[in-house]
């Protein structure tokens, strides 16, 4: 079995990016909005992303139109009925995810595969909300999905090996490198990366350096494309907070716990790039360190 029809639930950064990558590799995609409202903003996000590729002469205008033509936009979950693969990419709330999976399980054709793009939540807990645990798997993409080469593939104890093979083939068709990971909070990357970002916030709180200093040190000293504070802003501080909370609740290790700065920023709706303010102020071009945070 190979994947010809993909349904994605969730039109955020991840859902939109996965849709673009899949459609760019010849797969028919239905992008289902998880919250009420128009699909126009997510459509515009993908169009803008493709326009950038056309401008950089990495894709022709006709190619970009072909990719857009392969993506259908809807808010009707019924669209999963004929999909070969369903990827959930919605809010990190286990109860909401379980409810959606139970619903999709009832609607989707029996051979269909269910997958979650969760950052840190347990795949096993989600699959238990369905009647098809042997056709359930984790497929964890990275932000931005258009550029990041990795997909963590997370089979559970009950995932049929043939489903894992199909999932691996799907990732490879998208030009990604799959890495198999056991079902454990944060898998590999977020288990290592989240405490790193949170520790960078502790360094800031302890006055080791300022925002620019901490990010420059890790960019130039460890050859990272972005410093940890810029990366946290890029991912979204609410998402980083949720990841740190889940890791801390799972492993009980102090260095995984959200810091007070992260608690305060998220409580105030200061979420990084998407809210135009985080460790940096994105209303400026180029962004400048947020002066309220010893920047
Ligand atoms: N569509 C398709 N491809 C695109 C694209 C788009 N809209 N935008 C960029 N790309 C491709 C480019 O073509 C380029 O590919 P090439 O090397 O083959 O030419 C590649 O992506 C890099 O693009 P750019 O050169 O434009 O971008 P930069 O060099 O400025 O890098 C960045 C931007 C990729 C975001 C880089 O800064 C980076 O890697 N940052 C770290 C990101 C990271 O660590 N992400 C993981 C976060 S953790 C996570 O996601 C887990 C989740 O659960 C929260």
């Amino acid at each position: 079995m190979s994947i010809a029809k993909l349904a994605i639930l969730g039109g955020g950064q991840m859902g939109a990016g996965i849709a673009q990558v899949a459609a760019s590799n010849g797969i028919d995609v239905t992008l289902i909005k998880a919250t009420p409202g128009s699909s126009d903003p997510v459509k515009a996000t993908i169009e803008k992303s493709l326009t950038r590729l056309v401008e950089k002469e990495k894709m022709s205008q006709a190619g970009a139109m072909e990719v857009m033509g392969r993506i259908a936009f809807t808010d009707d979950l019924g669209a999963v009925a004929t999909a070969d693969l369903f990827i959930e990419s919605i809010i990190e709330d286990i109860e909401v995810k379980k409810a959606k999976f139970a619903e999709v399980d009832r609607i989707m054709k029996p051979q269909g595969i269910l997958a979650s793009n969760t950052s840190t939540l347990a795949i096993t807990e989600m699959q238990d909300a369905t009647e098809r645990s042997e056709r359930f798997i984790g497929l964890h993409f990275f932000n931005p999905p258009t550029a990041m080469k990795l997909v963590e593939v997370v089979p559970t104890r009950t995932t049929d090996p043939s489903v894992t093979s199909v999932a691996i083939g799907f990732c490879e068709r998208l030009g990604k490198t799959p890495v198999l990971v056991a079902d454990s909070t944060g898998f590999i990357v977020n288990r290592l990366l989240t405490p790193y970002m949170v520790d960078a916030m502790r360094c800031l709180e302890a006055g080791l350096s300022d925002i620019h200093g901490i990010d420059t040190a890790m960019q130039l000293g460890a050859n990272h494309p972005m410093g940890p504070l810029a990366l946290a802003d890029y991912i979204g501080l609410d998402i980083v907070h949720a990841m740190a909370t889940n890791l801390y609740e799972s492993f009980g290790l102090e260095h995984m716990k959200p810091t007070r700065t992260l608690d305060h920023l998220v409580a105030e709706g200061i979420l990084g790039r998407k809210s135009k303010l985080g460790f940096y102020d994105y209303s400026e071009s180029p962004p400048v360190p947020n002066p309220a945070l010893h920047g």
Side-chain angles (χ1 to χ4, degrees):
M1 178 190 178
S2 71
I3 305 301
K5 287 176 88 174
L6 169 67
I8 299 170
L9 180 65
Q13 293 177 76
M14 299 304 294
I18 299 166
Q20 181 189 324
V21 176
S24 300
N25 287 285
I27 294 169
D28 287 329
V29 182
T30 302
L31 187 47
I32 307 163
K33 256 189 72 58
T35 48
S38 161
S39 289
D40 287 351
V42 59
K43 201 171 171 188
T45 302
I46 300 175
E47 272 166 354
K48 194 171 156 202
S49 171
L50 290 169
T51 301
R52 232 183 96 197
L53 290 183
V54 172
E55 282 165 3
K56 285 170 132 185
E57 297 183 353
K58 289 192 169 189
M59 188 181 274
S60 66
Q61 184 62 47
M65 284 172 71
E66 211 178 296
V67 172
M68 278 314 287
R70 269 193 219 111
I71 309 175
F73 297 86
T74 181
D75 60 0
D76 175 12
L77 201 57
V80 300
T82 58
D84 302 311
L85 172 66
F86 167 78
I87 301 179
E88 164 278 315
S89 184
I90 61 172
I91 182 174
E92 287 288 271
D93 179 321
I94 190 74
E95 295 307 325
V96 177
K97 285 183 194 279
K98 280 162 68 179
K100 288 294 179 194
F101 273 118
E103 205 177 337
V104 170
D105 186 30
R106 286 194 291 273
I107 302 169
M108 196 184 194
K109 65 183 183 185
Q111 319 88 287
I113 296 172
L114 303 182
S116 173
N117 179 52
T118 182
S119 303
T120 50
L121 296 173
I123 304 297
T124 308
E125 201 177 336
M126 287 177 238
Q127 77 174 20
D128 288 349
T130 76
E131 300 292 321
R132 59 175 101 188
S133 63
E134 73 293 347
R135 303 194 70 73
F136 204 110
I137 197 158
L139 282 179
H140 182 218
F141 288 77
F142 290 82
N143 193 9
T146 46
M148 303 300 284
K149 297 287 183 213
L150 178 69
V151 181
E152 290 178 317
V153 176
V154 191
T156 68
R157 289 192 183 160
T158 54
T159 307
D160 192 297
S162 68
V163 168
T164 307
S165 299
V166 171
I168 288 172
F170 169 73
C171 297
E172 288 171 347
R173 178 159 174 204
L174 265 49
K176 305 296 182 196
T177 300
V179 169
L180 282 174
V181 193
D183 186 18
S184 171
T185 308
F187 314 122
I188 297 170
V189 174
N190 284 335
R191 180 165 170 172
L192 298 176
L193 192 60
T194 306
Y196 157 69
M197 289 183 287
V198 170
D199 268 344
M201 297 171 201
R202 284 199 186 91
C203 290
L204 182 67
E205 287 169 6
L208 247 68
S209 186
D210 58 14
I211 292 170
H212 185 252
I214 290 168
D215 276 351
T216 303
M218 290 310 295
Q219 273 186 284
L220 303 186
N223 229 2
H224 289 186
M226 288 176 173
L229 301 172
L231 181 60
D233 274 357
Y234 187 77
I235 293 171
L237 300 181
D238 50 341
I239 294 173
V240 175
H241 191 278
M243 295 197 296
T245 303
N246 289 338
L247 285 163
Y248 180 63
E249 283 173 2
S250 287
F251 300 109
L253 299 171
E254 278 302 311
H255 75 292
M256 293 176 160
K257 197 176 179 180
T259 66
R260 55 187 164 80
T261 306
L262 187 57
D263 284 340
H264 288 152
L265 290 173
V266 172
E268 286 166 26
I270 298 172
L271 306 180
R273 265 179 200 251
K274 62 184 160 192
S275 70
K276 301 258 187 288
L277 188 63
F279 288 94
Y280 291 84
D281 179 351
Y282 297 90
S283 61
E284 303 283 338
S285 182
V288 294
N290 181 347
L293 297 171
H294 321 290

